Amino acid sequence: MRTYNGKLFRLDDHLDRLYQSARILKIIPRWGRKEVIERINKRMSKGLQNDSKIRVIISSRSLIITVEPLVEKPKRMATQGVALISYEGDRTLPL
């Protein structure tokens, strides 16, 4: 997820997807949603840039929150495009 002007963008939507993914993978996190939000806010208070990238990784044993400055992509990517290799294949999802 990311911040705009120091404010989290669509935190609830991100956490909905995170916990939904954990359920699908049969992961039972030790941290409730409220505690995760508190920890994100605590982590953000330590040197947050105006625009940052925030990553939350949750498992049954670990909660990892990273905050990094958001680095703008080179303008040439928008004007000249990027090389892309496409792979057509099936992806199996856990039941």
Side-chain angles (χ1 to χ4, degrees), residues 48-62:
L48 178 69
Q49 307 283 325
N50 275 343
D51 293 331
S52 298
K53 177 173 63 171
I54 296 143
R55 181 169 295 158
V56 179
I57 302 168
I58 198 166
S59 74
S60 58
R61 293 187 229 162
S62 302

Side-chain angles (χ1 to χ4, degrees), residues 33-72:
R33 188 183 187 97
K34 184 178 177 183
E35 185 175 355
V36 170
I37 291 170
E38 288 171 0
R39 289 188 181 210
I40 290 170
N41 287 328
K42 182 178 178 183
R43 179 63 185 92
M44 285 179 50
S45 69
K46 297 178 181 179
L48 178 69
Q49 307 283 325
N50 275 343
D51 293 331
S52 298
K53 177 173 63 171
I54 296 143
R55 181 169 295 158
V56 179
I57 302 168
I58 198 166
S59 74
S60 58
R61 293 187 229 162
S62 302
L63 174 62
I64 302 167
I65 300 167
T66 62
V67 179
E68 306 171 24
L70 191 64
V71 179
E72 260 191 64

Side-chain angles (χ1 to χ4, degrees), residues 3 11 15-16 38 45 47 53 64 79 81-82 88:
T3 63
L11 175 62
L15 292 180
D16 287 346
E38 288 171 0
S45 69
K53 177 173 63 171
I64 302 167
T79 58
V82 296
E88 188 172 325

